Amino acid sequence: ATYRLLPVTTEAALWMGDLRLAQRLRDRMKKDCDRLGHSLGLVWVDAADGLMARIREDDQVAAEYLQSAIRNLETIPWVYDAARLRRWLADVLIRLGDRDGGIRELKKCHEVCSALGARVEIDRARKRMKELGVRLPSRTSGARKGAGALTDRENDIARLIVARKSNKEIAAELGISARTVTTHVANIFTKMRVSSRGEFADRMRK
């Protein structure tokens, strides 16, 4: 609820234009995350603050919160969510007069979403670039398929998954937290388009 359902519901409230509901959900997230020491949830609080500031056209504040959320999401790494926020950040930067910065954010969003095969977000980024008169990149620019799309850390984890290691065992071997391993595994499965460890192991062996 803290790191997925509340953020999704808050975003839905923003799409509806219900800032009062979005603020209430954001405040609940902040309260729960402070109580639990939940760092990822606090990243979503920054994202919510950035998006609400964007709607209010308080662009300088929006840019600061969105940049913070993007930086922290990529550190986890939750690259898809960070890429989505880059598209919103692009509009904020353009309104602040930084057209080049906005275009860079759109291109980065496009690059990441192309690698992930996130077609809806690719189309949204391309539509905005077209409105700005920017030459559109190839839809597959930067895209890699299969195991080639994995980062070095993800490849390390992938090999251990194939070796039938649990998330806890992988965390101990790599010196990272089990929660971080869980996030990496979710990203790996998304990139490889599989839904289970067995299916993933079969794909990797091929």
Side-chain angles (χ1 to χ4, degrees):
T2 302
Y3 74 81
R4 181 52 77 187
L5 294 179
L6 278 170
V8 168
T9 311
T10 304
E11 183 175 351
L14 290 171
W15 276 104
M16 291 165 51
D18 191 340
L19 285 179
R20 183 175 298 177
L21 175 58
Q23 185 70 50
R24 191 162 71 244
L25 291 166
R26 176 265 181 213
D27 291 346
R28 177 184 165 182
M29 261 196 299
K30 181 71 163 61
K31 181 180 178 181
D32 289 350
C33 292
D34 284 340
R35 179 171 54 85
L36 296 169
H38 199 306
S39 56
L40 175 57
L42 291 172
V43 175
W44 289 127
V45 171
D46 278 353
D49 285 338
L51 293 174
M52 285 191 285
R54 175 185 174 275
I55 290 171
R56 298 189 189 102
E57 297 189 5
D58 190 351
D59 293 328
Q60 190 61 55
V61 170
E64 291 170 6
Y65 277 118
L66 290 174
Q67 287 166 341
S68 173
I70 289 165
R71 184 168 56 252
N72 287 313
L73 284 170
E74 289 179 337
T75 298
I76 292 171
W78 277 20
V79 293
Y80 171 68
D81 295 287
R84 293 179 66 232
L85 287 180
R86 284 185 182 279
R87 187 166 55 79
W88 298 116
L89 175 60
D91 281 342
V92 169
L93 292 177
I94 289 166
R95 288 205 304 240
L96 286 169
D98 185 2
R99 187 176 187 275
D100 290 343
I103 291 170
R104 279 196 302 273
E105 296 298 333
L106 287 170
K107 288 182 175 179
K108 181 65 175 178
C109 170
H110 189 283
E111 177 187 345
V112 171
C113 291
S114 292
L116 295 174
R119 288 175 290 182
V120 172
E121 286 300 319
I122 293 169
D123 289 343
R124 288 171 175 166
R126 292 175 71 83
K127 179 181 178 182
R128 187 68 180 109
M129 283 190 275
K130 190 174 181 179
E131 291 170 353
L132 293 168
V134 177
R135 182 178 178 181
L136 298 179
S138 165
R139 283 183 176 272
T140 57
S141 71
R144 296 176 291 169
K145 296 182 179 179
L150 304 183
T151 65
D152 289 342
R153 173 60 87 190
E154 288 168 348
N155 272 311
D156 291 339
I157 292 171
R159 285 192 288 271
L160 294 171
I161 293 172
V162 174
R164 300 183 183 279
K165 300 281 188 180
S166 68
N167 285 5
K168 187 174 180 180
E169 290 170 328
I170 293 171
E173 185 157 336
L174 297 179
I176 57 180
S177 73
R179 180 179 291 177
T180 299
V181 173
T182 299
T183 301
H184 279 303
V185 170
N187 286 333
I188 290 167
F189 283 12
T190 298
K191 290 180 179 181
M192 297 291 289
R193 298 181 183 178
V194 298
S195 57
S196 71
R197 296 172 96 90
E199 185 183 358
F200 173 73
D202 289 343
R203 180 75 60 83
M204 286 296 284
R205 290 186 187 104
K206 290 177 183 179

